[in-house]
Amino acid sequence: MKQSVFIVLISIFIFTGYAAASEKELVVYTARKEHLIKDLFEKYEKEHGVKIIYITGKAAVLLQRILSEGSGTNADILLTVDAGNLWQAVQKDILVPVESKILKENIPSHYRDPENRWFGLSVRARTIVYNTNAVKKADLHSYEDLADAKWKNRLLLRTSKKVYNQSLVAMLIATVGEDRTTKIVKGWVTNLAAPPYSSDTKVLEAIAAGQGDVGIVNTYYYGRLMKKNPDLPLAIFWADQDDKGVHVNVSGAGILNHSKNKEEAVRFIEWLSAKDAQKIFADANMEYPVNTQVAPHADVKTWGTFKESTVNLAKAGQLQADAVKLMDKVGYK
Amino acid sequence: MLQLINNNRNFIVSLFFAVMIISPVMVILLSGFQAEIEIWTHIKQYVLPDLVKNTVILIIGVLSTTAVLGISLAWLTSFYDFFGRSIFHRILLLPLAIPAYVMAFIYTGLLDFSGPVQTFIRSTMPSIAPCFPQIRSAWGVIAVISLSIFPYVYLMASSGFRSMGKSMIEASQSLHAGRLSTLFRVTIPMARPWIFGGLILVFMETLADFGAVSVFNYDTFTTGVYKAWYGFFSISAASQLASILVAIVLFIFLTESYFKKKQQFFTKGYEAVTRIKMNRIRSFFAFGFCSIIFGLSFIVPVFQLLFWTITSFKVEIDVHYVTLLKNTIVLGVLGTVFTMGVAIILAYSNRSMGDIKTGIVSKLCLSGYALPGTVLAVGMMGIIAWLDKTLIGMVGIFGGYPISGILKGTLWVLPICYMIRFLTAGYNPVFSNMTRLTSSMDEAARIMKVTGFKLLTKIHLPLIRRGIITGSILVFVEIMKEMPVTLMLRPFGWDTLAVKIFELTSEGEWERAALPAITLVLAGMIPIISLTFLGRNKKQNVITG
């Protein structure tokens, strides 16, 4: 009997992950992948002596974890990709508004929550990519144009289950309305040269191989692929330049209501939005810094400058469910 | 009262585990009732019809493919002697070490339009290139999933065939039944509980698969569950879809036990089968068949992974990998011990009573295998949150320490979830072995005054040892490959190889994911190979009869 009590006590000791709230520690739940963020965490640790503990996961899952942990959560910061996810976090009322002059200065207003509950930290552009052997730049115009019959059997897309496409369609609904968006997406589906792919990289590879001539991808996937294989006949085209501008999205962060280290958490996000960290944050994944004072990576610069859509990204979240329904209705898998 | 408990002991034991296992499922089912009507109507109208069609096609395809592959390979290696048999008999289980999602990204990489195979055909024989079938379609998913899980049927069918004894087969042959006729009329029917057990594993694994089907962008029930959650952020709509999954599984279980009732599969007068030597031509074909299947399901994927590993090794390797491997193994061992403990108790209490209510309750316990891991994990989160609140209340009375959670984010949770998820894989081999224990053996034991717990430890456990080891290895390998539950519920610092694979593949970094994948495959090969050496132990078999 004594023995078993002892065993139980020992195992409680071993298994219970008891994390006391200490000032020199920050807990980050991140949907941005470990290999894209780890260096920054380590740098902050070195410079500021604050240990950063993190766990990675899918955005919706992390959100659910925070919700079920309730006030007992150890997490201080939710770091995720796509404004749609950040908007959901706001809806579930887990993020706290932050008043920070530094953040307001560093981050343009359409890249943060209107009520300052989340802040974009890097910008990703989702635009058109084409096969340079098959398409002349002059033939390309806009996302809407890809629904035109001249692209029949030439378009390649990623699955509609990916949040990037859901946000893109949500932003289309926000700018041109539901009816016109339905027509656009329906046109895309009829123009498909192959069933939707499960990743942007696959779309790029298929366009390079000639299965289709045009597609829509996030530019950093293009950057990564070209770095590995610079001879591919692929190029980026900035969509909607005569109109609203390229669809952009962010990866961003917010501080949790139940965080026990809110001040330290604010300092960390401020540090992330400042020059040094911005450079690393964006370059690690060939994205665009959100801080306009910081220049993008040299390779990224070669793709040229573009006009971006300035509709507030909270719209992407608001209209996400509508976008998913719309895509289901026209049979975009 | 005591009398009542004594009489119903087995039922109560089953019920205890059933409650433990069912409660997260219940959380899911209950939240399904509060579904947002608008979203649910949309899903029903635009999404569900396709999901049902795709899922049915996938299940039928995978079941028939794995049945044909598994039974034919088991039949060849159990009853015939041909060139390479002794090697194939050991290595045909190895594909189990490769997770289906890894197999999926390897084969789509190889066979899709931009992959090396089609590129080669286009550059050498442009005229036939357009005839190349689209791999990202129903047949592609069926082929890939079948290649990665047919060893379940092969394993179970082999152990059924081998423990059968030759008397039945000789009896059939003495009645001038041909080889094939013997196969279909005696051998397969006699091995039915084994084959069924294998096919049920395949069925549930396919139903719960998310990783492989999403690489193919093939929409099934499971992808529907995720879509409802990630796209609509509606856990209740997701739960509603998941509860359909649970209902299907329970239905299958109940019909299965109805048909299996009162059948006995033990044979009298055990004597090992003598394998028939094949002539040269037959031997050549048998060798060719085994080689093709093994090549496609193991050699090709492993070579592709090795090739990718070489190109990405420098970017990816760091000391971190030792931790990943350690975590994977520690979680695997913990989960396996827990799962097998429950599996043995359950199989035993179910077998010795054999009454209907115990049977139904133990079936309930096995339904977790068909639940997509993430759905199970969500249910578990609800339970943990509730338990923590209760426990903290209790602790607060004594100490008043600022404890934020007792179970939350701890290692306790993962083994429980693994048990719920993989109990079937551990239970089936144990239970199949139990059907070989004759009821007369129990009676004999009872006459000798060996009853109850002693009966279990002295007589039954040694006899079902093989089932226990088989089950443990299957469960261990399953846990190593498990991704969604681990991803959701692991404590800080408990990343596994599967988690790493997810991180890299979800960014489209297939080459870099090859290193964790090949590590996982190598780590899984060791227990699987050791499984094949079990067959050599003849001692235990002699006792039957």
Side-chain angles (χ1 to χ4, degrees), chain A residues 243-285:
Chain A
D243 198 3
K244 287 281 189 303
V246 170
H247 167 68
V248 286
N249 210 319
V250 292
S251 71
I255 295 169
L256 300 179
N257 272 336
H258 295 300
S259 158
K260 279 119 201 154
N261 304 308
K262 292 204 179 82
E263 279 166 33
E264 191 58 60
V266 174
R267 265 197 293 279
F268 180 55
I269 295 182
E270 284 173 348
W271 180 81
L272 284 176
S273 74
K275 270 188 187 168
D276 276 6
Q278 275 291 292
K279 187 85 190 130
I280 301 171
F281 200 106
D283 287 0
N285 195 29

Side-chain angles (χ1 to χ4, degrees), chain A residues 96-168:
Chain A
V96 68
V98 172
E99 276 310 315
S100 157
K101 233 179 95 188
I102 300 178
L103 287 175
K104 273 186 186 157
E105 264 168 27
N106 287 345
I107 304 169
S109 65
H110 60 283
Y111 290 142
R112 48 185 154 88
D113 177 50
E115 290 173 49
N116 295 313
R117 286 162 297 188
W118 55 259
F119 300 89
L121 292 169
S122 68
V123 179
R124 39 233 343 245
R126 191 160 187 80
T127 191
I128 298 172
V129 65
Y130 63 99
N131 185 317
T132 47
N133 295 333
V135 178
K136 277 197 250 32
K137 203 174 168 186
D139 294 336
L140 291 159
H141 305 283
S142 60
Y143 305 109
E144 183 163 10
D145 175 64
L146 295 181
D148 191 278
K150 72 178 174 211
W151 298 113
K152 181 118 184 87
N153 278 326
R154 299 172 72 187
L155 178 66
L156 290 172
L157 292 175
R158 182 180 190 166
T159 170
S160 67
K161 286 187 281 295
K162 185 67 195 178
V163 66
Y164 303 154
N165 283 333
Q166 296 169 357
S167 289
L168 172 66

Side-chain angles (χ1 to χ4, degrees), chain A residues 56-122:
Chain A
T56 58
K58 294 177 193 175
V61 172
L62 292 175
L63 189 61
Q64 192 58 31
R65 188 164 170 163
I66 292 168
L67 280 175
S68 60
E69 285 172 357
S71 60
T73 188
N74 291 324
D76 299 301
I77 294 174
L78 174 67
L79 183 67
T80 175
V81 290
D82 204 283
N85 291 327
L86 290 162
W87 184 84
Q88 286 293 345
V90 165
Q91 287 325 100
K92 307 281 186 204
D93 206 20
I94 60 167
L95 300 180
V96 68
V98 172
E99 276 310 315
S100 157
K101 233 179 95 188
I102 300 178
L103 287 175
K104 273 186 186 157
E105 264 168 27
N106 287 345
I107 304 169
S109 65
H110 60 283
Y111 290 142
R112 48 185 154 88
D113 177 50
E115 290 173 49
N116 295 313
R117 286 162 297 188
W118 55 259
F119 300 89
L121 292 169
S122 68

Side-chain angles (χ1 to χ4, degrees), chain B residues 486-497:
Chain B
T486 317
L487 191 63
M488 276 183 76
L489 295 175
R490 80 209 129 108
F492 293 102
W494 280 91
D495 284 9
T496 63
L497 289 166

Side-chain angles (χ1 to χ4, degrees), chain B residues 493-540:
Chain B
W494 280 91
D495 284 9
T496 63
L497 289 166
V499 168
K500 191 75 194 168
I501 298 174
F502 158 76
E503 294 229 304
L504 292 166
T505 52
S506 68
E507 288 291 316
E509 302 262 21
W510 320 108
E511 286 94 344
R512 289 176 68 180
L515 179 62
I518 196 81
T519 316
L520 190 61
V521 171
L522 291 176
M525 275 173 70
I526 299 161
I528 291 173
I529 283 283
S530 65
L531 184 60
T532 61
F533 284 91
L534 268 180
R536 291 228 213 134
N537 193 339
K538 290 278 184 298
K539 207 168 59 191
Q540 58 187 4

Side-chain angles (χ1 to χ4, degrees), chain B residues 453-497:
Chain B
F453 191 64
K454 232 177 173 182
L455 183 71
L456 174 71
T457 53
K458 289 262 148 65
I459 311 237
H460 291 164
L461 278 186
L463 285 176
I464 57 170
R465 205 188 60 197
R466 185 189 193 145
I468 294 172
I469 298 174
T470 307
S472 305
I473 290 173
L474 289 183
V475 170
F476 180 73
V477 174
E478 281 286 353
I479 294 177
M480 286 215 307
K481 296 189 285 184
E482 206 286 332
M483 189 259 287
V485 171
T486 317
L487 191 63
M488 276 183 76
L489 295 175
R490 80 209 129 108
F492 293 102
W494 280 91
D495 284 9
T496 63
L497 289 166

